[in-house]
Amino acid sequence: MTVMQHIWIVLGVLFVFLNIAAGLIWVERRLLALWQDRLGPNRAGPLGLFIVLADTLKLFFKEDWIPPFADKWVFILAPAIVVASVLMGIAIIPFAPGIVVADLNVGLMFFLAMSSLGVYSIVLGGWASNNKYSLLGALRGASQMIAYEVFMGLSLMGVVMLSKSFNLTDIVNAQKGLWFVVTQPIGFVVFFIAGLAETHRLPFDIPEAESELIAGFHSEYSGMKFGMFFIGEYLGISLISAMTATLFFGGWLGPAFLPPVVWFFLKTFLFIGLFILLRASLPRPRYDQLMGYGWKLLLPLVLLNLLVTGAIALWLRS
Amino acid sequence: MISHLRTMWLVFRHLFQKKVTVQYPEEKVPLYPRWRGRIVLTKDPDGGERCVGCYLCAAACPVDCIALQATENEEGRRYPEFFRINFSRCIFCGYCEEACPTYAIQLIPDFEMAEYNRQDLVYEKEDLLIDSQGKYPGYNFYNVAGLDAGVKEKGKGEDEETPVDIKSLLP
Amino acid sequence: MPTIYIDNKPFDVKTGKNLLEACLSLGIDLPYFCWHPAMGSVGACRQCAIKVFKDEEDTRGRLVMSCMEGVKDGMRISVNDETAKAFRSQVIEWLMTNHPHDCPVCDEGGCCHLQDMTVMSGHNYRHYHFKKRTYPNQYLGPLINHEMNRCIQCYRCVRFYHDYAGGKDLNVFAAHNHVYFGREKDGVLESPFSGNLAEVCPTGVFTDKTLKEHYTRKWDLTNAPSVCQHCSLGCNTIAGERYGQLRNIVNRYNHEVNGYFLCDKGRFGYEFVNSENRITQPLIRNQPIEATEHDTVLQYMRALVTGHNLIGIGSPRASLESNYALLELVGKENFYQGVPDDLVYVEQKIVDILQSGTVHTPSLKEIEQADAVLVLGEDIWNTAPIMALAVRQSVMKTAATHTTEQLPIPTWHDAAIKELVQEDKGFLANITMLPSPLDEISSSSMKAAPDDMARLGFAIAHILNPSLPEVRNAGEELLSYAATISKALQAAKHPVIITGTSCWNNALIRAAFDIAAALDMNEKKAGLAFVMQDCNSMGLAMTRASSFDRAVAAIQRTTNVTAIILENDLYRSIPAAKADTFFNKCKHIVVLDTLHNRTTEKAHVLIPAATFAEADGTFVNNEARAQRSSQVFMPANSEIRESFKWLADIKSLVTTASNGHGKHMDDLLHALEARLPQFAGVSRVAPPHDFRIHGARIPRESHRYSGRTAMLANLTVSEPKPLQDDDSSLSYTMEGYRGLPPSPLIPFFWAPGWNSGQSVTKYQEEAGGALKGGDPGIRLFEQTTAPPVFSKDIPDAFTPRAGKWMLLPQYHIFGSGELSVYTKGIASLSAEPYVSLSRRDAEQSQLKNGDTVAVKTDGKTYTLPLSINESLPDGIILVPAGLTGMEALSWGAWVNLSTVIV
């Protein structure tokens, strides 16, 4: 591939994902409305699509205020981290054969590293806000991330064992016969739940928890800095959905009547829809329930899954 | 876990149900007689102002958006010298209507009173007074009150005996 | 201390109280109507029923009226007993059968004792389906409104008006369920205490007619503790404001001063604050546009106060702070009282006596408790009405005390005591120039010229202490009066002597002092009370500044004078000729005042001062009790400011040191204490401006205050920031400390379930007792052991002169006040100008009632209609003082008379 092609791919991925993230503003509000027997935003532009523009404009024109009691530089840096780390994670996703920004041989490790880095934005944002609710949110975010990061990684180890590679293109190719969701159902469920927690989406939005922490770590944020957190969250959803599709649902693989890229995005949007449905239907658990659920149920489950997968892999080899 | 999945399924099914949203300016909202909207001051059957300036609405108002001054005509009938409602503060809770002992202040089914200029939301008595008895036709406070305020003489009220002759010693 | 068990809980209560008083003092809510702490119990309304149990075993008990049963040690009662509760609820239901559906149009609503008691006893549904009784109303004058339908027959009005205040023209008429409370026929209520009916009546039968003109519910008023401005007694009042206008005055209980009642002049004389005659802008005269504003007038003042000789004229109606600020500005030696020399001389004598501490000066409460009273030469009915009311109580209660000492009947048992006492009365000697309503209850009343009254006083003193000089050429009559009075004073334990300045006679003061001091030497606890002329006459006199006549003399010696006149219409107290002399010599005249008057016409610079309602200030009353009057509202017009603030601004023009700038009144009072030690203690009169309770201010507005977001919305829809009061710890909001404030800062009386003024019980140590935390006010002088200095100079008997008459003032409760006549109702009750002569003098001059008489004094002639006064001593001519349009005369001067042929 030429340098130009690389640049085009990078720009294309950036363009597509940033637009998906922005478009999710509309998608989420429409879907939530429909599930609540309402119509949702339908006034601005066709189908209300311009609400995305309106919201973005609003965010740009809101007063960008840094509280006088905040730690100024960290406060500014925090929202940038979340967007940067998620975008870095997207770099290793193969959209179709040959369309990938960085086809790393440790792609999966890179993804795990990047998604863990995202927690810095929460911790630093909450810390720099110098507000007790924000700090509580940040602490919750950090411990939630530590807990769920462990078995997110472990849940993927079954996939790695089966595909014998950390490279995502290899993992997709290894699913040509059978999607890993069939052989690794526990791995899929745990990964998706861990993904919810990583992106702190409902029902696992403990660090924000409006009703308890009045928006938690980003209480003090306004304007485009808040917008960065906002976009970061939607990017996170897209990333986890894309990863789920890649790791367990065969990525771009699909019947030939549609091009591979379309298959990939179809699968991704399905999971995005699932994310939103979860928000529409499930209540937020208590903080201790969340931690107990992670450490006491998911961790043993995923270790068992690893053991069984390893055993079967050994048995098949012998 | 099963119940969670069931919940998700039930919520998902709502995608295909009829929506309750009313597309307001094109479709009109159905308003019922007891709908709490714009506040008006009504008149009694004789066409006199019902408001007697008792200040109870102002006291009941949780946002303190009613101010008035009571005054009296030469017959002793009370009426508000001015009556002001700051609708930019009003929360349409209807407490003023509940407090009103003379059915003067009433909330009517009309909410289309938006203004571009906040100052225009301050309504004076001239803006509030309507030429109607509103929801309670036939009621005139002074017919049931003891006071002689030019509506009925002492002792001529619905539940009143003729005034006592204090010079009489008869039982 | 007896212990009683209320609902099985033991409580310590005071001996001699009834159960209702005991319960209320303990803070237990027990409904009542006819009982009043000042008037005792009659058991008429049956509302305060409770259960009394025989002993611990008794479970049935019996219903009694708690106001008619005294406390006994070990007594077991129940307030919450079901039968008692049901009884109380039924009683109120009966009372309500005839009560009209009037609350929305009734002025009592929101401060109605009947409403409170109805809610308290739980009656909420009318079961009675028959017709309501109605009554015709009466016209009761311009001050009180009558709406008889609302009556619940508690008899409080008659018990107050007739029994307590001695009024004759309000009584109970008709019989059985037709009883009627009113006058025999329509007409103005004669008693000057009629306004109290509005507070005494538990419902809306009698209401304040002046409030009706601009009606506001109690909960909507911005209130502050004030001090009455209309006489020297300093009655405590609560003034209420709404929409920038003073709306009403109600009584503020002070156990030591006015207790529960105010006179009509004090209650209704507030409308000058809202007058159209108010000075609203600073004026600089003799320029094209005279009205100007703060900065310009101060700029102009700079030239007037620098390089000129300053003369300051203080005022007996301005606050201590304002007078002192003027004294500071002009210097002590250039500060004069705006009061004529003769009066200053008399007042100085009073201050000397009080400051020496040889005799005790009683509070009004102590006068009420006196067992013999001698009023020597002061017409207290007109010059100090509430003192007259206190004297009346002393007379009535002394008789009651005599009776209760012999029979086991408690003092609160009003009807029983009245029955026993019948016509028996305590001792009162009312020695005045003219007859007064107090004469009816006087054991001894003599009408004489001021010098003769003084001679009587000296004769009494001589009998009490024979070492004092004898009165020469004393007549038979005088000596017999002296003998009777001295005997009664000797027999009393706490005799009180009252005198004052209204006769402008120095000998009266000395005579009264000699009597009091002589009684004191005879081991009596005698009191000597003085009546002054204005609300701060005592405060001004205590500065010991020179009289206005000295200012006139001083101005003759100097040139280039800027005179600063503080809140004082000199033409009301100084003969016009003398005032004109003064003004003609001034180069610049600066006047600070509230209302336009003759003096403000003379001003070159006129500065708008705040009235009592718009100002904080300290006033010293007749017993030298300093009291704080707080600002009720900030005038919307920011040019109207307290005089002391204007004067501080002017002072900052003269001094480079900024000590005159931005001063708090606290600082002024501290400076006053330091400069004039006789005022020691005055800074403790109220908590300092930065006083807070749990960090909160005390709100002037009730928690139900309405219209906050609409009152000013017609001007601009964005609400302004709440006003900030930098001078006191009261706030201009509904927020703040809602508990019991310190007694000088009680803005209004309210307690949960008690919206009417009856809630004052919750602020008292015991029902009818002192306010919790002590009554407000600091007495500046207390009795010491200093030996008295008796006077040796006894005036000669008054002898009429041929063709000359002694000119003396007659004060009228309605009309003589400078400010109170701005109330229309009071103005309509004011006396018309007249001259009074004795019948013999009139006959000698061949004059009839109504003839026009010319009085020549101070080089001027005043023509007035004659009114012959049967009891006036010969040789005296009386002219009403201070009526609108009347000039000040040289009181005490000998004048010529002539008949004018019309």
Side-chain angles (χ1 to χ4, degrees), chain C residues 125-186:
Chain C
Y125 184 79
R126 182 181 162 88
H127 297 93
Y128 181 80
H129 291 297
F130 302 97
K131 292 190 166 184
K132 288 180 181 179
R133 177 188 58 212
T134 60
Y135 287 108
N137 298 332
Q138 285 181 332
Y139 169 76
L140 297 180
L143 303 175
I144 287 289
N145 191 56
H146 192 224
E147 182 58 47
M148 187 57 204
N149 281 358
R150 298 170 186 157
C151 182
I152 56 161
Q153 284 78 30
C154 72
Y155 281 71
R156 261 190 179 188
C157 50
V158 171
R159 287 176 61 218
F160 170 75
Y161 193 90
H162 188 269
D163 300 353
Y164 190 93
K168 295 222 167 34
D169 57 331
L170 183 110
N171 218 321
V172 53
F173 297 95
H176 48 85
N177 65 337
H178 285 170
V179 286
Y180 187 87
F181 298 86
R183 284 171 53 90
E184 189 243 331
K185 56 177 189 284
D186 283 19

Side-chain angles (χ1 to χ4, degrees), chain A residues 34-35 37-39 43, chain B residues 11 14 19-21 23 26:
Chain A
L34 293 171
W35 279 317
D37 288 350
R38 296 184 286 115
L39 290 176
R43 292 271 159 182
Chain B
V11 171
H14 276 270
K19 303 299 164 206
V20 294
T21 309
Q23 300 275 59
E26 296 87 24

Side-chain angles (χ1 to χ4, degrees), chain B residues 55 68 78 84 89 159, chain C residues 107 132 215 243 711 719:
Chain B
Y55 297 96
L68 67 149
R78 293 268 172 109
R84 186 180 305 130
R89 288 282 183 195
D159 279 320
Chain C
D107 288 355
K132 288 180 181 179
Y215 184 65
Y243 301 128
M711 287 167 80
E719 286 110 43

Side-chain angles (χ1 to χ4, degrees), chain A residues 41-77:
Chain A
N42 64 347
R43 292 271 159 182
L47 294 173
L49 266 171
F50 290 178
I51 193 78
V52 176
L53 278 177
D55 255 14
T56 321
L57 277 174
K58 178 195 79 175
L59 281 175
F60 271 110
F61 284 104
K62 276 201 167 177
E63 186 188 359
D64 195 0
W65 193 65
I66 298 171
F69 45 80
D71 187 340
K72 193 177 170 199
W73 294 110
V74 182
F75 189 84
I76 294 170
L77 196 63

Side-chain angles (χ1 to χ4, degrees), chain C residues 278-279 567 592-595 607-611 614 639-643 646:
Chain C
R278 283 291 299 275
I279 301 162
E567 296 182 39
L592 296 97
D593 212 339
T594 54
L595 293 150
I607 293 173
T611 60
E614 297 143 336
E639 301 294 342
I640 296 178
R641 301 163 77 227
E642 286 115 317
S643 295
W646 277 111

